[in-house]
Amino acid sequence: RRDLVALQRISQSIGLALDKKSKIESEIRIRKIFQKFVPSAVVDQTLGQGELKLGGETKQATCLFLDIRNFTQLSTQIPTAVLVDLLNRIFSLLQIEATKSGGVIDKYLGDGALVTWGAIPGSDANSASAIQCAIEFLKALHILNIEIGKIGMKPVEVGMGIHKGTV
């Protein structure tokens, strides 16, 4: 009888340990997936919160808005696969420059994007960083335009705006 009780307790302990191990592995997997697309500070804050609450908080932030000019016209002139590849290349350039300057792509807006500085924990609302990001992105876009010009495509033009203020 004592052996049976001991085995039951051991089985319960093993079950609890396996359940905890599974939860830890699941969180590690979720973190790895999200950290490919979201800064680790955001992942840490989100996973660390007990309950989410509606509302928000007020912060100083700098925002860079990017829009590809004449995108609708462009989308009717080139095959879909080429268009998607072009968008991926443009947004990859933006991702690289935003990350280098401490910015975060908040969202993609079809043929545009919103990049922020200061909106997430640990980031700074430095407008000089946003301006530097814009300059470096335009340099990278110029190189891309040379590449696509070699295959007969028209250069991609973008519009950008930068704003700093309370969000």
Side-chain angles (χ1 to χ4, degrees), residues 15-45:
L16 291 171
L18 289 173
D19 184 52
K20 186 165 192 111
K21 180 181 182 256
S22 172
K23 287 179 181 177
I24 291 170
E25 288 172 348
S26 176
E27 183 173 329
I28 289 170
R29 191 176 72 254
I30 290 169
R31 281 180 182 275
K32 283 181 181 177
I33 291 169
F34 277 116
Q35 285 177 338
K36 288 181 182 177
F37 306 102
V38 179
S40 59
V42 174
V43 175
D44 292 342
Q45 183 184 25

Side-chain angles (χ1 to χ4, degrees), residues 59-63 116-119 123-130 163-165:
K59 292 183 174 193
Q60 286 292 311
T62 300
C63 300
T116 62
W117 289 261
S123 70
D124 183 20
N126 186 345
S127 54
S129 295
H163 178 76
K164 182 175 181 175

Side-chain angles (χ1 to χ4, degrees), residues 43-161:
V43 175
D44 292 342
Q45 183 184 25
T46 303
L47 292 177
Q49 287 181 349
E51 262 189 60
L52 298 177
K53 61 180 181 174
L54 293 177
E57 55 187 281
T58 302
K59 292 183 174 193
Q60 286 292 311
T62 300
C63 300
L64 179 147
F65 300 90
L66 175 128
D67 177 68
I68 299 172
R69 298 291 189 217
N70 302 313
F71 182 77
T72 303
Q73 181 182 359
L74 177 66
S75 69
T76 63
Q77 296 172 346
I78 61 176
T80 305
V82 175
L83 183 67
V84 169
D85 180 59
L86 181 61
L87 278 176
N88 285 335
R89 291 174 74 182
I90 292 167
F91 289 145
S92 291
L93 295 175
L94 183 63
Q95 175 68 46
I96 289 166
E97 298 308 329
T99 301
K100 278 199 275 187
S101 66
V104 175
I105 295 182
D106 182 274
K107 58 182 58 91
Y108 294 101
L109 309 161
D111 65 331
L114 167 62
V115 184
T116 62
W117 289 261
I120 65 164
S123 70
D124 183 20
N126 186 345
S127 54
S129 295
I131 293 168
Q132 188 63 36
C133 174
I135 291 168
E136 295 303 319
F137 171 77
L138 288 174
K139 288 178 185 177
L141 182 63
H142 177 72
I143 293 168
L144 176 63
N145 279 332
I146 292 170
E147 289 176 23
I148 65 174
K150 290 177 183 176
I151 59 170
M153 287 180 62
K154 292 180 182 176
V156 174
E157 295 179 0
V158 298
M160 287 190 277

